């Protein structure tokens, strides 16, 4: 977690950019992405997909990377990766990411972006890599020895952002150290070799993290996440078996009643209502009534998205075309940037 001071600075900068975005969308290039380790869920949707679609609609240049090389930062296999990548494209399209406006591509298809890793690694120190809190946390969770790739993946992420000259990156607070290392790399490169890269800022989202159905962090491995690809019946089943508590009267109390409150928050975000108001309305109706309400709220909200998802799923050729078109566009941009980098470094022969 970055210290309060740097968080405050980042937040002020992010607010200033948010205010400027509608006025000067053409000055901004967004880059963000996801690891293709499974299906996207409601946390991804409300936490970042909605924001991507908003930026796309404002006319910002929007780029979304499917970070396939990042999958092997903390795991030993690439099982199901192709299936995960195609499903990720399907989720994006179903949620309103428009491939004629947003470039969707994968790490492994853009060799020139990966090549930026070489000069970039020379701009950071081992100590800087080692004190990154996200890297430390991921290493601890993986139960593995720290690999070279896990240690340096924030530098690889800087390649993702900088090859397309991204200057805004929508992030949660825990990802701020990554943005800091990216802007350091850009600054150091520009100082040493001449200006090639932009200033990079994190666009902090104001929406609080959506908890999983049981009140813990939403994660597929906890079984508390509603994936976008789930059917209405699967959603109903998952909500039905989520843990509440023995008190009948429904109240909103995230500290004391994490399960009940997570359900209220989930219903609130889907209906646009205040969770407290929903709690008051259900009151002595108990958790059975609450679960029915949440199920309907989630299924109503996601019905059109799921319907679109289903249609797109039936047209895999289209999905493959979207990706290969995005990959080709990304590659052309990366070739240009790598050309500029080699030129700045005196390495064009
Ligand atoms: N680290 C992100 C995740 O785990 C994915 C990602 C890869 C990314 N490269 C990025 C995010 C660049 C923002 C910017 O989901």
């Amino acid at each position: 977690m970055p210290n309060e001071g740097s968080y405050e600075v980042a937040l002020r900068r992010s607010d200033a950019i948010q205010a400027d975005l509608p006025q000067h969308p053409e000055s901004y290039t967004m880059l963000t992405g996801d690891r293709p380790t499974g299906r996207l869920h409601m946390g991804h949707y409300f936490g970042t997909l909605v924001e991507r679609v908003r930026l796309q609609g404002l006319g910002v240049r929007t780029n979304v990377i499917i970070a396939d090389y990042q999958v092997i930062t903390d795991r030993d296999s690439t099982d199901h990766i192709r299936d995960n990548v195609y499903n990720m494209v399907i989720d994006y399209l179903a949620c309103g990411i428009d491939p004629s406006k947003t470039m969707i591509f994968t790490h492994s298809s853009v060799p020139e972006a990966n090549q930026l890793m070489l000069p970039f690694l020379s701009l950071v120190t081992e100590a800087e890599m080692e004190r990154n809190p996200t890297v430390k946390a991921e290493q601890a969770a993986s139960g593995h020895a720290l690999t070279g790739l896990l240690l340096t993946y924030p530098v690889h992420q800087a390649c993702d952002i900088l090859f397309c000259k991204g200057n805004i990156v929508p992030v949660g607070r825990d990802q701020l150290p990554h943005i800091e290392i990216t802007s350091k790399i850009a600054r150091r490169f520009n100082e040493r070799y001449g200006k090639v890269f932009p200033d990079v800022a994190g666009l902090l989202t104001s929406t609080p993290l959506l908890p999983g159905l049981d009140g813990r962090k939403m994660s597929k491995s906890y079984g508390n996440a509603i994936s976008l690809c789930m059917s209405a019946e699967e959603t109903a089943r998952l909500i039905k078996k989520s843990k509440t508590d023995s008190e009948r009267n429904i109240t909103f109390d995230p500290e004391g009643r994490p399960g009940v409150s997570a359900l209220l928050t989930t219903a609130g975000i889907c209906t646009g209502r205040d969770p407290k108001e929903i709690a008051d309305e259900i009151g002595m109706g108990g958790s059975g009534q609450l679960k029915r309400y949440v199920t309907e709220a989630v299924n109503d909200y996601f019905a059109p998205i799921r319907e679109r998802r289903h249609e797109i799923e039936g047209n895999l050729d289209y999905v493959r075309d979207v990706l290969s078109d995005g990959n080709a566009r990304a590659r052309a941009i990366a070739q240009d940037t790598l050309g500029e980098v080699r030129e700045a470094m005196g390495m064009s022969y």
Side-chain angles (χ1 to χ4, degrees):
M1 201 55 74
N3 67 46
E4 275 313 305
S6 70
Y7 177 68
E8 288 305 321
V9 172
L11 188 59
R12 240 174 293 135
R13 186 151 177 227
S14 169
D15 286 345
I17 293 172
Q18 287 288 15
D20 188 52
L21 271 170
Q23 264 87 47
H24 305 101
E26 69 291 344
S27 318
Y28 296 96
T29 300
M30 177 209 85
L31 181 290
T32 186
D34 305 281
R35 292 179 194 194
T37 53
R39 301 293 170 268
L40 295 176
H41 54 55
M42 272 182 74
H44 298 115
Y45 180 82
F46 288 108
T48 152
L49 292 166
V50 170
E51 175 71 353
R52 294 176 195 178
V53 172
R54 186 183 74 90
L55 294 171
Q56 168 187 277
L58 285 176
V60 169
R61 275 177 300 278
T62 41
N63 305 293
V64 178
I65 189 161
I66 301 180
D68 54 357
Y69 273 138
Q70 236 178 61
V71 169
I72 50 169
T73 51
D74 63 353
R75 50 181 89 194
D76 294 336
S77 127
T78 53
D79 288 351
H80 313 296
I81 197 151
R82 192 183 307 147
D83 190 41
N84 288 347
V85 167
Y86 288 151
N87 271 287
M88 195 155 264
V89 176
I90 296 170
D91 278 336
Y92 290 160
L93 299 173
C95 290
I97 292 185
D98 173 353
S100 70
K101 295 183 179 143
T102 297
M103 186 167 86
I104 304 171
F105 60 102
T106 50
H107 267 150
S108 59
S109 311
V110 195
E112 292 81 0
N114 293 302
Q115 192 174 324
L116 294 175
M117 188 79 170
L118 284 167
F120 285 3
L121 280 171
S122 75
L123 300 168
V124 294
T125 64
E126 185 190 355
E128 282 172 326
M129 295 294 90
E130 266 162 4
R131 63 170 174 258
N132 183 304
T134 313
V135 169
K136 279 194 209 159
E138 284 179 53
Q139 200 254 317
S142 78
H144 285 49
L146 180 63
T147 64
L149 186 62
L150 180 51
L151 180 68
T152 57
Y153 96 81
V155 181
H156 194 228
Q157 204 154 291
C159 302
D160 301 343
I161 297 166
L162 294 174
F163 93 86
C164 62
K165 306 208 173 159
N167 59 359
I168 50 172
V169 184
V171 283
R173 184 177 179 163
D174 61 329
Q175 293 272 312
L176 268 182
H178 290 340
I179 305 300
E180 277 162 25
I181 195 76
T182 300
S183 41
K184 259 189 206 152
I185 289 171
R187 221 174 312 124
R188 287 174 189 168
F189 185 94
N190 293 346
E191 275 162 17
R192 266 187 214 184
Y193 303 110
K195 179 149 170 88
V196 172
F197 296 110
D199 284 337
V200 182
L203 214 50
L204 288 151
T205 33
S206 51
T207 34
L209 220 58
L210 182 67
L213 292 173
D214 54 3
R216 290 189 291 171
K217 182 180 151 59
M218 189 181 292
S219 161
K220 197 182 160 194
S221 54
Y222 290 158
N224 64 4
I226 299 170
S227 304
L228 303 178
C229 63
M230 278 181 180
S231 65
E233 295 71 35
E234 286 170 308
T235 302
R237 238 177 288 138
L238 197 68
I239 292 171
K240 197 161 186 188
K241 68 172 205 250
S242 74
K243 264 214 171 60
T244 49
D245 54 47
S246 54
E247 200 182 314
R248 180 157 189 97
N249 190 26
I250 297 303
T251 53
F252 185 65
D253 170 13
E255 294 281 303
R257 308 185 68 186
V260 165
S261 304
L263 290 176
L264 289 164
T265 303
T266 303
I269 202 163
C270 290
T271 54
R273 296 183 65 193
D274 181 350
K276 284 197 204 75
E277 193 188 296
I278 301 173
D280 289 345
E281 195 173 281
I282 294 174
M284 291 306 284
S287 63
Q289 192 177 324
L290 172 62
K291 287 179 176 182
R292 278 192 296 279
Y293 185 86
V294 180
T295 303
E296 197 178 312
V298 172
N299 284 339
D300 281 355
Y301 187 96
F302 286 103
I305 290 174
R306 286 166 166 171
E307 200 180 309
R308 248 191 329 265
R309 203 188 185 287
H310 195 67
E311 276 164 29
I312 300 164
E313 219 170 15
N315 192 355
L316 267 191
D317 280 344
Y318 170 65
V319 175
R320 276 191 283 265
D321 282 350
V322 164
L323 194 55
S324 54
D325 175 61
N327 284 338
R329 280 158 61 201
R331 188 137 191 224
I333 294 170
Q335 278 165 348
D336 284 350
T337 303
L338 184 63
E340 283 178 60
V341 162
R342 292 179 55 197
E343 185 71 38
M345 296 177 79
M347 289 180 174
S348 53
Y349 310 111

